[in-house]
Amino acid sequence: MASVEPVIHVVDDDDAIRHAVVFQLETAGYRARDHASAEAFLEALPTAPPGCVITDVRMPGLNGLELVHRLKALGFKAPIIMMTGHGDIPLAVEAMKAGVVDFIEKPLDDEILLRAVGLALSTSATPRQDDALKGERRARFDTLSPREHDVLIGVIAGKPNKIIAYDLGISTRTVEVHRAGVMTRTAASSLSELIRMALSLGF
């Protein structure tokens, strides 16, 4: 039986962003469908081809996080990627805790978008591979200094550098240095990857 080609469902109330994302996906060879709201996607869900969902976090009516919770309650298994603004990191962290596989920040970078979709659609690792990956991650996170660990906790909480600096009684510049150290030591290529790895380790 031939496999069904996955469809990327783009959910965003902003016409320009939604159409731009669909265009980029189709240019890269993916099949894509756009939905102007979370409600519109839920209405189309019973007949929607399987694949992946890319949803904005802030929308009128049901927002992206509420959509994630609704989909999980319905037993939805396809991977979900969330688009966020710069100030939406706390929502993105909450969404990842709810099961979102990745988040990408606006303005969207085409390369980051396509990489996120590719990873979301890739075959899941076996339990043994997953355990090995988790062991490698744990080893890298164990190399963090106490101060880097404190900064990491602030980042996972979605706090901006200025607030982390205030909480820890250090300068914003020092937070930036420690944050860069966290990225290097954990080998995280992006904020979303750092948060995803940290959450998988129980932070």
Side-chain angles (χ1 to χ4, degrees):
M1 186 175 179
S3 60
V4 178
E5 185 180 353
V7 172
I8 316 301
H9 297 276
V10 182
V11 185
D12 197 326
D13 65 298
D14 187 313
D15 293 345
I17 291 177
R18 191 174 71 252
H19 295 156
V21 172
V22 168
F23 175 79
Q24 183 58 40
L25 291 169
E26 291 179 341
T27 300
Y30 291 105
R31 295 173 60 205
R33 291 187 180 180
D34 67 294
H35 309 269
S37 67
E39 290 86 351
F41 176 61
L42 288 170
E43 187 175 337
L45 188 59
T47 58
C52 172
V53 175
I54 302 175
T55 179
D56 195 4
V57 67
R58 293 192 182 276
M59 296 180 288
L62 280 179
N63 64 32
L65 185 57
E66 290 167 337
L67 174 61
V68 171
H69 287 305
R70 187 74 63 87
L71 290 172
K72 293 301 179 182
L74 292 171
F76 188 76
K77 302 297 184 184
I80 304 171
I81 298 169
M82 187 159 285
M83 297 183 287
T84 70
H86 182 67
D88 293 329
I89 301 304
L91 281 176
V93 173
E94 190 175 346
M96 293 189 83
K97 290 178 178 177
V100 167
V101 298
D102 206 349
F103 70 87
I104 46 182
E105 293 184 80
K106 299 175 183 176
L108 300 180
D109 178 281
D110 293 344
E111 186 177 334
I112 292 175
L113 169 67
L114 294 177
R115 184 167 66 238
V117 170
L119 287 172
L121 294 174
S122 63
T123 306
S124 299
T126 65
R128 180 175 294 181
Q129 289 172 325
D130 211 33
D131 287 343
L133 284 172
K134 189 170 287 190
E136 292 172 8
R137 289 173 188 164
R138 173 60 67 187
R140 291 199 299 267
F141 275 73
D142 284 345
T143 67
L144 296 178
S145 69
R147 185 58 86 194
E148 286 171 338
H149 183 275
D150 292 341
V151 169
L152 172 63
I153 297 302
V155 171
I156 295 171
K159 297 178 180 179
N161 289 347
K162 195 180 300 184
I163 300 301
I164 297 174
Y166 178 82
D167 289 345
L168 298 179
I170 57 179
S171 70
T172 302
R173 176 58 186 154
T174 301
V175 170
E176 292 171 354
V177 171
H178 286 311
R179 189 164 173 163
V182 170
M183 298 295 287
T184 299
R185 290 179 187 272
T186 61
S189 62
S190 65
L191 178 59
S192 63
E193 184 180 13
L194 175 68
I195 292 173
R196 186 169 59 250
M197 290 192 297
L199 293 179
S200 75
L201 295 173
F203 278 83

